[in-house]
């Protein structure tokens, strides 16, 4: 999910410029233009990482959802037709929803006349099958993997009920005002699959035979190569413009760029900041936006310096976020101080929890009795995050903290942060969402999962998070989440850095593509010129 970064400085910048020039020349770059080689009824998207299981209760990575959401659909969906403001909610497989006065029970009116791709009916019984798969250990097709993936969103589920053939009800132990928006998310949310397909292929076979209600049907998948979908001509909603979607996996940045320049792919995912101007000169569109992501410092609390609140505060004050945005990301990022990212329902652009103040950082360390060079730990980064990590390392050195970077390939990086060494102080993370509950999920995954409960002000933070999470007053909900964000920031439990403002490149032949303020898009309205 991380956007790979390339640092444009000194020799590194010169080598990169030469590499881009060679690729551009070989592919008709420079004064040339991007022209699709694909048929007008086929759109090819270049993905930067291989999708995971195409199973809505097991999947992860945004790249997976960008493909699978064309097959499966949620009860509630986000409006993805505009790039202005926070995404609004709209009917999906549910035409309406409502809660009781304290928001503990949610009732959904289900869309009638909807068929799965295998011809079976979508109704309350089909939805109940989906829910039982992750919530009922006594269910024949209960799946522990699905239960683990959906636990964060449904840990407080008390019961469910089929009211009638087209009405379904969820009851929770406590108020859950954020439930409808959480249903529209990619990971840990129950997009709906065919019960008949799961009965036929089993829990492990659904991802090989994905069967939903969406505008496209699954055709084939070749691991580490492509996923092909064809238009569902029996789709209940507005028919998509394109006949075929192909999602190609091209992990190497230069190979993906070359494939886009040569017209082999129509949409380039994860544009490198140094390529933006080149692509625009060649006629491609590289839309501005914010999505709903952020980069952040995630402390590894097994390290003694991560346990120290003064050291964490000094790190917060020492990071030059504007410098990261301007120098590492060529101006195609924005500094961020809130853990509630742009695109989030509770994001406050005027919130500045702390500022870049290296002098104050040195004072904090001195006040804690820590001399120059006494604090030393590793920064763990994947290869994509190495440039940002190196820049942060330089920031920290300027205030007397020695923080060398250990950069690892993605698989080894994941293993290292799961089993950190004693000298590992923090790693760089990336995630986010449009839902305020992200503050809770992010705190759990960055602080609690890394052993931080004893070293942060856990009572104050959890009290603020619970106040926001369990309020039944819609008028105070957003303010409550913003307050929780401030409490997390006050303890420097996790430290935001930047949010990216360029991400996709679009071929000139493509029409109707919108990058909304979330982490995926709608290809239904997209078309192509010959």
């Amino acid at each position: 999910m991380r956007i790979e970064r390339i640092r444009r400085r000194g020799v590194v910048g010169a080598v990169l410029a030469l590499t881009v020039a060679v690729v551009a020349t070989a592919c008709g770059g420079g004064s040339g233009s991007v022209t699709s080689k694909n048929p007008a009824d086929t759109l090819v998207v270049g993905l930067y990482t291989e999708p995971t299981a195409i199973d809505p209760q097991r999947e992860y990575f945004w790249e997976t959802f960008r493909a699978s959401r064309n097959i499966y659909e949620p009860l509630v969906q986000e409006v993805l037709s505009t790039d202005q403001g926070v995404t609004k909610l709209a009917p999906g497989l549910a035409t309406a929803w409502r809660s009781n006065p304290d928001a503990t029970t949610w009732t959904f009116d289900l869309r009638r006349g909807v068929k799965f791709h295998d011809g079976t009916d979508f109704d309350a019984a089909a939805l109940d099958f989906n829910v039982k798969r992750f919530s009922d250990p006594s269910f024949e097709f209960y799946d522990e993997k699905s239960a683990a993936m959906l636990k964060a969103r449904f840990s407080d589920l008390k019961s469910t009920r089929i009211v009638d053939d087209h009405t379904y009800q969820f009851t929770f132990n406590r108020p859950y005002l954020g439930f409808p928006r959480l249903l529209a998310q990619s990971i840990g949310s129950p997009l709906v699959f065919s019960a008949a397909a799961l009965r036929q292929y089993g829990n492990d076979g659904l991802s090989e035979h994905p069967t939903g209600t969406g505008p496209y049907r699954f055709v084939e998948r070749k691991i580490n190569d492509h996923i092909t979908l064809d238009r569902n001509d029996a789709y209940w909603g507005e028919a998509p413009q394109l006949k075929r979607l192909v999602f190609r996996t091209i992990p190497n940045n230069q190979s993906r760029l070359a494939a886009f320049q040569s017209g082999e792919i129509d949409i380039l995912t994860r544009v490198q900041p140094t390529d933006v101007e080149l692509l625009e000169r060649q006629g491609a569109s590289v839309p501005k936006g914010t999505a709903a992501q952020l980069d952040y410092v995630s402390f590894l609390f097994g390290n003694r310096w991560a346990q120290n609140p003064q050291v964490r505060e000094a790190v917060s004050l020492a990071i030059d976020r504007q410098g990261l945005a301007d120098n590492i990301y060529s101006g195609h990022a924005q500094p961020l101080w809130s853990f509630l990212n742009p695109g989030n329902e509770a994001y406050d652009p005027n919130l500045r929890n702390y500022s870049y103040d290296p002098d104050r950082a040195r004072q904090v360390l001195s006040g804690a009795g820590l001399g120059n060079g006494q604090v030393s730990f590793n920064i763990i980064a994947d290869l994509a995050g190495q440039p940002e990590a190196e820049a942060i390392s330089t920031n920290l050195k300027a205030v007397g903290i020695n923080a060398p970077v250990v950069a690892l390939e993605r698989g080894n990086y994941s293993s290292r942060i799961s089993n950190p060494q004693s000298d590992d102080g923090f790693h760089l993370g990336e995630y986010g969402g449009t839902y305020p509950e992200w503050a809770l999920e992010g705190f759990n995954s960055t602080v609690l999962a890394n052993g931080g409960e004893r070293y942060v002000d856990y009572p104050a933070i959890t009290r603020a998070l619970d106040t926001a999470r369990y309020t039944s007053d819609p008028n105070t909900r957003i303010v409550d989440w913003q307050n929780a964000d401030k409490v997390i920031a006050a303890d420097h439990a996790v430290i935001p850095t930047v949010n990216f403002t360029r991400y996709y490149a679009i071929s000139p032949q493509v029409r109707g593509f919108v990058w909304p303020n979330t982490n995926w898009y709608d290809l239904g309205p997209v078309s192509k010129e010959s």
Side-chain angles (χ1 to χ4, degrees), residues 99-240:
S99 73
N100 62 347
D102 68 355
T104 56
T105 296
W106 286 90
T107 303
F108 293 83
D109 298 332
L110 306 184
R111 193 175 296 278
R112 297 169 183 267
V114 175
K115 298 279 188 181
F116 289 100
H117 298 156
D118 57 12
T120 58
D121 292 327
F122 165 71
D123 55 18
L127 177 59
D128 192 58
F129 185 102
N130 276 247
V131 173
K132 279 184 165 57
R133 186 194 186 204
F134 67 82
S135 67
D136 183 359
S138 68
F139 183 53
E140 177 185 2
F141 292 97
Y142 177 73
D143 179 38
E144 291 184 353
K145 293 181 180 179
S146 298
M149 289 297 295
L150 277 74
K151 181 179 180 180
R153 307 277 169 80
F154 289 90
S155 60
D156 216 29
L157 182 65
K158 181 179 180 180
S159 64
T160 59
R161 185 167 73 95
I162 297 175
V163 179
D164 59 39
D165 287 348
H166 293 91
T167 311
Y168 197 78
Q169 200 169 77
F170 296 86
T171 298
F172 297 90
N173 290 309
R174 288 176 282 192
Y176 205 174
L177 282 173
F179 186 51
R181 180 171 288 277
L182 287 168
L183 288 174
Q185 304 307 310
S186 62
I187 300 169
S189 297
L191 283 76
V192 183
F193 59 82
S194 163
L198 191 135
R199 288 183 184 277
Q200 180 176 355
Y201 301 112
N203 278 322
D204 293 333
L206 182 64
S207 64
E208 299 175 3
H209 304 274
T211 309
T213 61
Y216 286 90
R217 296 171 176 265
F218 176 78
V219 175
E220 67 172 0
R221 178 180 189 178
K222 292 187 177 179
I223 299 294
N224 295 316
D225 192 89
H226 72 270
I227 296 170
T228 300
L229 311 179
D230 276 356
R231 183 167 57 202
N232 174 19
D233 291 329
Y235 183 52
W236 62 266
E238 184 173 350

Side-chain angles (χ1 to χ4, degrees), residues 17 61 116 141 154 179 188 252 335-336 339 354 364 371 399 404 425 439 486:
F61 288 170
F116 289 100
F141 292 97
F154 289 90
F179 186 51
N252 181 272
L336 197 61
F339 199 39
Y354 38 80
V364 168
V399 303
K486 293 176 183 177

Side-chain angles (χ1 to χ4, degrees), residues 296-300 303 306 315 319 377-381 389 392-393 396 403 417 423-428:
Y296 51 85
V297 167
S298 181
F299 289 101
L300 298 166
N303 178 268
V315 171
I319 296 176
F377 53 76
N378 298 327
I379 300 174
I380 309 302
I392 292 174
S393 176
L396 297 183
I417 63 177
D423 289 336
D424 297 344
F426 67 77
H427 70 94
L428 294 183

Side-chain angles (χ1 to χ4, degrees), residues 495-508:
I495 302 172
T497 58
V498 295
N499 161 262
F500 305 110
T501 58
R502 300 291 184 103
Y503 194 77
Y504 303 104
I506 314 302
S507 164

